[in-house]
Amino acid sequence: MYQPSANSGERSTSRLKLTMAMGKTRLALAVAERVRHALRALELETDTGTVRITASIGVAEARGTAETLDGLLKRADAALYEAKAAGRDCVRGCG
């Protein structure tokens, strides 16, 4: 059984980096949606009740070979924050 910390409002944030070939933004968005739906279907039983999982996911496509990894991750983070601002539990892309 999952036991959250004493803080009953505990939230955890994880970053998952998924690499796909350039030009596959539509595929990356579809994969992100599948991950989001799979997480949403999970339920964790705790001492205080059932915990449901949601995910906000940001997707960014590299802008050619000249873009740095840091730049790409910053754009993915921007898309993630856009998803959170849109009400959470959604996927947003940044081309």
Side-chain angles (χ1 to χ4, degrees):
M1 178 178 287
Y2 173 76
Q3 296 181 338
S5 69
N7 176 3
S8 63
E10 177 185 17
R11 292 179 185 252
S12 177
T13 302
S14 297
R15 289 186 182 184
L16 170 67
K17 295 174 180 77
L18 176 65
T19 305
M20 297 189 149
M22 285 178 52
K24 299 293 183 182
T25 303
R26 191 177 304 175
L27 176 60
L29 290 168
V31 169
E33 280 291 349
R34 288 176 56 192
V35 168
R36 186 182 70 79
H37 283 280
L39 289 171
R40 191 172 187 176
L42 297 176
E43 293 183 352
L44 299 175
E45 296 299 326
T46 71
D47 292 337
T48 59
T50 302
V51 175
R52 300 200 53 102
I53 299 171
T54 62
S56 297
I57 303 173
V59 175
E61 180 178 347
R63 293 179 174 162
T65 58
E67 182 174 28
T68 65
L69 178 59
D70 187 52
L72 176 62
L73 293 177
K74 283 180 182 177
R75 290 188 308 104
D77 279 346
L80 168 63
Y81 290 115
E82 184 181 318
K84 288 181 177 186
R88 301 182 183 266
D89 195 31
C90 61
V91 174
R92 293 293 185 264
C94 176

